[in-house]
Amino acid sequence: MKIPENDIYDFLKASHLPIIIYGMGNGADKIIEELDRCGIPVSGIAASDDFVRGQSFHGSRVRKISDFEQEFGDFIIIVAFGTSLPDVMTHIFALSEQHIVLAADVPVYGDNIWNKGFYEENKENIEKAYALFADEKSKQVYENILNYKLSGQLHFLRSAYSDKEEVFNKILKLNSNESYLDLGAYRGDTIDEFLHYTSRSYQHITALEPDRKTFAKLKAHVNDMTNIKLFRMGIWSEDRDMSFEESLGRGSSIKSGAKNDLAVTKIDTLYAVRKLTYLKMDVEGSERQALIGGINTLRRDKPKLNIAAYHRSEDIFSLPLLIHSIEPNYKLYLRQHPYIPAWDLNVYAIPK
């Protein structure tokens, strides 16, 4: 693998251009915190034209990109929000033709930041995970995403993109007899995806969604379906109650000290009797614990796997290594679907 010698923070330190944070929210908070730790000043906060309403963020008035063009002429833009919307992504790539545009990789959960130190600390496991992937495309995706995470450069991220048609048609190859477990079912979008690729024929579906309001929408969405069980629960490595933070759907997560209690369960409990053939997991940073709670099922049934690998900085290498340690007879694949930053990065696995 060819990895850059310098990271995004080295580049920003060496640059004499003003740095503009594009976006507001948790991701921007984390980026600004890391820049401050590195002694890198921020010159302003920008938002899309429709979102600029005279508000302030981190003590700076939020302004339009065009305002900074008038003030500075040239500057560096750091994208600090996530999007998979084609028109928004097109806008960002268009901006990168006019200015230096970077997308700093900060974790959705956890404190590890992708920089040279993190790479060097985990280099051995990063290389072990690289060796596990079953095809050249996965290795190219892995290398491109590592380069992106270190440098923040969008061309590495864009080079890793592929659509989901290839995954479902050439890797997962779902059939009409699947027993499907959807962990993090949200409002039913991934159930719809499953139905699309099985022509609405299946054996059974079990779906978990912990957020109360989202679960109600999920329940209404699948109201007319048969052979489906829904649980407003979380997934973990054991059966218990845990603290849970409800954040209107996709941001909801198991979190120490949160005000709400949530029952969590194990894959092995859900499938103590029933056979599992296809597992999709997007559980807001709990993927590792969820896999540990499914060791017996994975070894017994060897279901096809569709596992989110972007919530924590270490997921890109730690999850493939964990899956391999649980069941070595898996062929592992890695695909990055269009998103800025490197969200919707998934590990796929099929039994050999």
Side-chain angles (χ1 to χ4, degrees), residues 233-274:
M233 300 180 74
I235 198 73
W236 199 247
S237 56
E238 55 185 319
D239 299 316
R240 55 175 291 192
D241 288 340
M242 297 187 72
S243 300
F244 178 70
E245 184 174 275
E246 292 190 286
S247 300
L248 299 178
R250 291 193 186 278
S252 299
S253 64
I254 294 169
K255 186 176 182 180
S256 177
K259 296 180 181 179
N260 302 300
D261 288 332
L262 177 75
V264 298
T265 189
K266 302 187 297 183
I267 294 171
D268 285 345
T269 300
L270 292 169
Y271 284 83
V273 178
R274 186 187 302 276

Side-chain angles (χ1 to χ4, degrees), residues 174-178 194-195 197-204:
L174 303 182
N175 59 57
S176 60
N177 199 38
E178 303 288 358
F194 170 77
L195 294 174
Y197 287 104
T198 61
S199 299
R200 303 191 69 86
S201 297
Y202 57 90
Q203 186 179 98
H204 192 271

Side-chain angles (χ1 to χ4, degrees), residues 63-80:
R63 301 162 66 189
K64 300 176 182 179
I65 293 290
S66 57
D67 294 333
F68 292 110
E69 289 174 334
Q70 291 179 9
E71 180 177 356
F72 296 125
D74 199 11
F75 47 89
I76 297 171
I77 299 172
I78 299 181
V79 179

Side-chain angles (χ1 to χ4, degrees), residues 28-202:
D29 290 335
K30 292 180 180 180
I31 292 169
I32 291 170
E33 181 181 353
E34 184 64 13
L35 292 174
D36 185 61
R37 190 188 69 79
C38 294
I40 300 171
V42 172
S43 297
I45 307 295
S48 299
D49 291 0
D50 293 342
F51 289 92
V52 175
R53 302 184 182 94
Q55 68 270 53
S56 293
F57 186 72
H58 281 262
S60 295
R61 182 168 61 90
V62 179
R63 301 162 66 189
K64 300 176 182 179
I65 293 290
S66 57
D67 294 333
F68 292 110
E69 289 174 334
Q70 291 179 9
E71 180 177 356
F72 296 125
D74 199 11
F75 47 89
I76 297 171
I77 299 172
I78 299 181
V79 179
F81 63 93
T83 184
S84 61
L85 297 174
D87 58 335
V88 179
M89 294 178 65
T90 297
H91 171 65
I92 292 171
F93 290 130
L95 278 177
S96 70
E97 296 176 1
Q98 305 168 44
H99 304 282
I100 298 172
V101 178
L102 305 173
D105 186 89
V106 292
V108 182
Y109 299 98
D111 300 319
N112 292 321
I113 299 290
W114 267 97
N115 54 32
K116 285 192 306 185
F118 182 75
Y119 172 75
E120 290 298 333
E121 180 183 346
N122 294 283
K123 187 175 181 179
E124 182 178 351
N125 283 332
I126 289 169
E127 292 176 348
K128 285 181 179 178
Y130 174 82
L132 292 177
F133 292 113
D135 66 342
E136 191 59 34
K137 183 170 183 176
S138 295
K139 294 181 178 181
Q140 290 172 355
V141 169
Y142 191 77
E143 185 172 346
N144 275 319
I145 295 301
L146 292 179
N147 275 275
Y148 157 70
K149 285 176 175 289
L150 283 167
S151 71
Q153 294 181 31
L154 292 176
H155 72 91
F156 287 119
L157 179 58
R158 201 172 187 178
S159 295
Y161 288 164
S162 64
D163 61 42
K164 292 191 177 183
E165 291 285 333
E166 179 244 356
V167 169
F168 281 95
N169 291 330
K170 296 184 179 180
I171 297 175
L172 294 174
K173 298 179 182 178
L174 303 182
N175 59 57
S176 60
N177 199 38
E178 303 288 358
S179 176
Y180 171 40
L181 175 58
D182 190 336
L183 299 175
Y186 193 49
R187 299 174 183 175
D189 53 338
T190 44
I191 291 177
D192 290 344
E193 179 181 72
F194 170 77
L195 294 174
H196 171 73
Y197 287 104
T198 61
S199 299
R200 303 191 69 86
S201 297
Y202 57 90

